[in-house]
Amino acid sequence: MEEVAKYVDEMDVTVHGATPEIHDAFNGVKGSYEHVMNNIKEYAKVKSEEQAICAVINVMPHTINNMERIMLNTALELDGQLDSFVIQRIAPSGRASGNQFFIQPLDVNKVMEVFKRLKDENGFNYEFCDVFPYCSIKPEYRDMLPKGGCNWGTEVCAVFSDGSVKRCAMGSSELTNMADLDTPEKFQEFWNNNPELQAYRKKYHLDEKCQRCEMLDDCGGACTMSRFYGDPYAKKNLDKNGRPRTGHDVLAME
C-alpha cells in the first residue's frame, strides 16, 4: 500500500448501504464492505495530509430513504479519516442499462434536505460528481451544487486501463486512444477539435426548453447521461448528420 499510495491524489470508495450486509448484497460479493474499509484504513496510515479520502454515495431508489444512516455509519466507520462524500447517480450504461437506478423527481429535495442538514450539523463536505437540474432543486439547497454544469468533456475526460478515451466515464463512444496522443501537442489537438467534445460544449444534446432556461449557465443542462435512452452521443442516438438526440435530464421539471 505504501508504494502505491504516493501515486494517488485521492482515494474514493463507493458505499452501497448502511450496513455491511446491505452493501455486500448490492455488490454480490460477501465481505466486500469489510475489504474496502480495511483498505481505506491502511491507506490512511501512509497517505500525506494533501491526499484525500472520499466516500462515494449513489443516489438511487434503495438509498434515498437511508441516506442519513449510510453517511453517518460511513463517517463513524472511518473515524475522522473521511474528507468528503462524493454524490453521484448511476447512469443507464453497461450493466446498469435501463432505468432501474433512476430516482423520481419528487425524491430529489428529500435527499437534498438530508445533505444540507448533515452538512450544517456534522460539518460534512460534499463533491457532486453528477450535476442535478437546478429547476428541480429548491433554492435553499442550490448553494451545495457546483455551478456551470458537468465538467466531463470541458475540464476532464475518462481514460481507461486499455488507453481508451471517452468524454464521460459512463459514455458510450471511444473518442481516441492515449497511444495515439503521445505528445502534448497531439492531446491538445484532440481536446480542442474532437467533434463530440465540440458538440457537447455547444450543448447540442439539450432540447429547446433547457437551451432557453434562465438557469442554464448555473445548471449546464444537468447530467447528459441521465436520460431514459442513455448517452445522447451514442451511435444509436445520432442522426444522419451526426448530431445527438436532444432531450433533458430525467429529473428536470417538465
Side-chain angles (χ1 to χ4, degrees), residues 229-245:
Y229 51 82
D231 186 358
Y233 291 94
K235 187 175 181 180
K236 66 178 182 178
N237 290 324
L238 300 178
D239 67 16
K240 62 182 180 180
N241 297 315
R243 290 182 65 105
R245 181 175 176 179

Side-chain angles (χ1 to χ4, degrees), residues 24 92 100 104-105 110 116 119 130 154 163 171 187 221 227 244 246:
D24 291 358
Q100 68 268 32
Q104 299 300 311
K110 181 191 300 184
K116 175 71 171 173
K119 177 182 179 181
D130 288 326
T154 59
F187 183 85
R227 306 177 184 214
T246 61

Side-chain angles (χ1 to χ4, degrees), residues 129-165:
C129 182
D130 288 326
V131 183
F132 286 73
Y134 270 49
C135 59
S136 297
I137 306 297
K138 291 181 178 179
E140 58 263 37
Y141 303 139
R142 290 175 188 162
D143 64 338
M144 294 189 296
L145 303 176
K147 293 188 182 296
C150 181
N151 66 348
W152 288 101
T154 59
E155 297 177 352
V156 297
C157 60
V159 179
F160 294 85
S161 59
D162 62 356
S164 60
V165 179

